[in-house]
């Protein structure tokens, strides 16, 4: 069983910053490979959307709404990704989820995606 655990959410005024962290781990064996890792978010009454993603080669993509304000990074040795969020706006208020694609461990034969349980980000205007 692979676990993705997010942290770093909270309440911040508009224009402020937060840094989210997501750590992937497994209770059996060790993580062998994770392809793309990403941050998704879902606001009340809205569909979940991908905010940022980083591939196993280090290529990054961002949603138009966060370009220039958010930065995704990855520590491959620690199976960890980060999301630096600057100049936060009220529209950024949402639950933020971490996703790992094609996660393979030393005890599994094939990969599958996993999601964390989310961390709440609230931006006050």
């Amino acid at each position: 069983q692979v676990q993705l655990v997010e942290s770093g959410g909270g309440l911040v005024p508009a224009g402020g910053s937060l840094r989210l962290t997501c750590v992937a781990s497994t209770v059996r064996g060790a993580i062998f490979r994770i392809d793309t890792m990403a941050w998704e978010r879902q606001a009340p009454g809205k569909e979940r959307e991908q905010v940022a993603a980083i591939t196993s080669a280090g290529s990054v993509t961002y949603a138009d709404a966060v370009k220039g304000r958010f930065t995704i990074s990855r520590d491959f040795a620690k199976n960890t990704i980060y999301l630096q969020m600057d100049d936060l706006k009220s529209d950024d208020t949402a639950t933020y989820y971490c996703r790992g694609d094609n996660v393979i461990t030393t005890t599994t034969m094939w990969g599958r995606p996993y999601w964390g349980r989310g961390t709440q980000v609230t931006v006050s205007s």
Side-chain angles (χ1 to χ4, degrees), residues 7 38 52 62 79 81 85 102 111 115 122:
S7 62
Y62 296 98
N79 293 314
I81 59 170
M85 305 186 294
N102 194 33
W115 283 264
T122 303

mmCIF file of all heavy atoms in Angstrom, residues 7 38 52 62 79 81 85 102 111 115 122:
data_model
loop_
_atom_site.group_PDB
_atom_site.id
_atom_site.type_symbol
_atom_site.label_atom_id
_atom_site.label_comp_id
_atom_site.label_asym_id
_atom_site.label_seq_id
_atom_site.Cartn_x
_atom_site.Cartn_y
_atom_site.Cartn_z
ATOM 1 N N SER A 7 1.092 18.100 3.356
ATOM 2 C CA SER A 7 1.160 18.982 4.514
ATOM 3 C C SER A 7 1.458 20.395 4.038
ATOM 4 O O SER A 7 1.848 20.596 2.884
ATOM 5 C CB SER A 7 2.237 18.508 5.503
ATOM 6 O OG SER A 7 3.522 18.548 4.900
ATOM 7 N N ALA A 38 2.088 15.171 -9.268
ATOM 8 C CA ALA A 38 1.327 16.377 -9.569
ATOM 9 C C ALA A 38 0.553 16.862 -8.348
ATOM 10 O O ALA A 38 0.330 16.108 -7.389
ATOM 11 C CB ALA A 38 0.359 16.115 -10.720
ATOM 12 N N ALA A 52 -0.336 21.697 -11.141
ATOM 13 C CA ALA A 52 1.049 21.626 -11.592
ATOM 14 C C ALA A 52 1.481 20.167 -11.603
ATOM 15 O O ALA A 52 0.970 19.357 -10.823
ATOM 16 C CB ALA A 52 1.968 22.435 -10.693
ATOM 17 N N TYR A 62 2.121 23.814 -15.774
ATOM 18 C CA TYR A 62 1.271 24.542 -14.837
ATOM 19 C C TYR A 62 -0.055 24.886 -15.499
ATOM 20 O O TYR A 62 -0.135 25.121 -16.705
ATOM 21 C CB TYR A 62 1.941 25.854 -14.411
ATOM 22 C CG TYR A 62 3.230 25.680 -13.649
ATOM 23 C CD1 TYR A 62 4.458 25.791 -14.288
ATOM 24 C CD2 TYR A 62 3.213 25.406 -12.283
ATOM 25 C CE1 TYR A 62 5.646 25.625 -13.601
ATOM 26 C CE2 TYR A 62 4.392 25.247 -11.574
ATOM 27 C CZ TYR A 62 5.602 25.352 -12.248
ATOM 28 O OH TYR A 62 6.776 25.194 -11.546
ATOM 29 N N ASN A 79 11.272 10.879 -2.732
ATOM 30 C CA ASN A 79 9.905 10.664 -3.246
ATOM 31 C C ASN A 79 8.970 11.763 -2.751
ATOM 32 O O ASN A 79 7.849 11.495 -2.284
ATOM 33 C CB ASN A 79 9.384 9.284 -2.843
ATOM 34 C CG ASN A 79 10.136 8.165 -3.515
ATOM 35 O OD1 ASN A 79 10.382 8.206 -4.713
ATOM 36 N ND2 ASN A 79 10.533 7.173 -2.738
ATOM 37 N N ILE A 81 7.421 15.855 -3.403
ATOM 38 C CA ILE A 81 7.253 17.037 -4.230
ATOM 39 C C ILE A 81 6.798 18.200 -3.370
ATOM 40 O O ILE A 81 6.252 18.009 -2.284
ATOM 41 C CB ILE A 81 6.258 16.830 -5.403
ATOM 42 C CG1 ILE A 81 4.862 16.436 -4.882
ATOM 43 C CG2 ILE A 81 6.802 15.827 -6.394
ATOM 44 C CD1 ILE A 81 3.797 16.473 -5.988
ATOM 45 N N MET A 85 3.671 28.365 -3.348
ATOM 46 C CA MET A 85 2.562 29.183 -3.830
ATOM 47 C C MET A 85 2.750 30.611 -3.352
ATOM 48 O O MET A 85 2.745 30.867 -2.133
ATOM 49 C CB MET A 85 1.230 28.619 -3.322
ATOM 50 C CG MET A 85 1.024 27.147 -3.670
ATOM 51 S SD MET A 85 -0.612 26.553 -3.227
ATOM 52 C CE MET A 85 -0.520 26.670 -1.443
ATOM 53 N N ASN A 102 1.712 5.947 -12.063
ATOM 54 C CA ASN A 102 2.479 4.728 -12.350
ATOM 55 C C ASN A 102 3.480 4.443 -11.233
ATOM 56 O O ASN A 102 4.682 4.278 -11.483
ATOM 57 C CB ASN A 102 3.187 4.848 -13.691
ATOM 58 C CG ASN A 102 3.701 3.505 -14.193
ATOM 59 O OD1 ASN A 102 3.092 2.477 -13.954
ATOM 60 N ND2 ASN A 102 4.823 3.527 -14.874
ATOM 61 N N GLY A 111 2.343 -0.787 -12.166
ATOM 62 C CA GLY A 111 2.140 0.514 -11.556
ATOM 63 C C GLY A 111 0.700 0.986 -11.617
ATOM 64 O O GLY A 111 -0.081 0.510 -12.433
ATOM 65 N N TRP A 115 -3.352 8.848 -4.829
ATOM 66 C CA TRP A 115 -3.648 10.206 -4.399
ATOM 67 C C TRP A 115 -3.549 10.306 -2.887
ATOM 68 O O TRP A 115 -3.827 9.319 -2.170
ATOM 69 C CB TRP A 115 -5.079 10.595 -4.787
ATOM 70 C CG TRP A 115 -5.264 10.943 -6.210
ATOM 71 C CD1 TRP A 115 -5.255 12.188 -6.769
ATOM 72 C CD2 TRP A 115 -5.511 10.019 -7.294
ATOM 73 N NE1 TRP A 115 -5.466 12.084 -8.123
ATOM 74 C CE2 TRP A 115 -5.634 10.781 -8.468
ATOM 75 C CE3 TRP A 115 -5.628 8.630 -7.376
ATOM 76 C CZ2 TRP A 115 -5.875 10.207 -9.712
ATOM 77 C CZ3 TRP A 115 -5.863 8.052 -8.610
ATOM 78 C CH2 TRP A 115 -5.986 8.830 -9.761
ATOM 79 N N THR A 122 -6.755 28.005 2.441
ATOM 80 C CA THR A 122 -7.787 29.040 2.470
ATOM 81 C C THR A 122 -7.120 30.397 2.387
ATOM 82 O O THR A 122 -6.256 30.714 3.208
ATOM 83 C CB THR A 122 -8.633 28.955 3.736
ATOM 84 O OG1 THR A 122 -9.224 27.657 3.830
ATOM 85 C CG2 THR A 122 -9.742 30.005 3.723
#
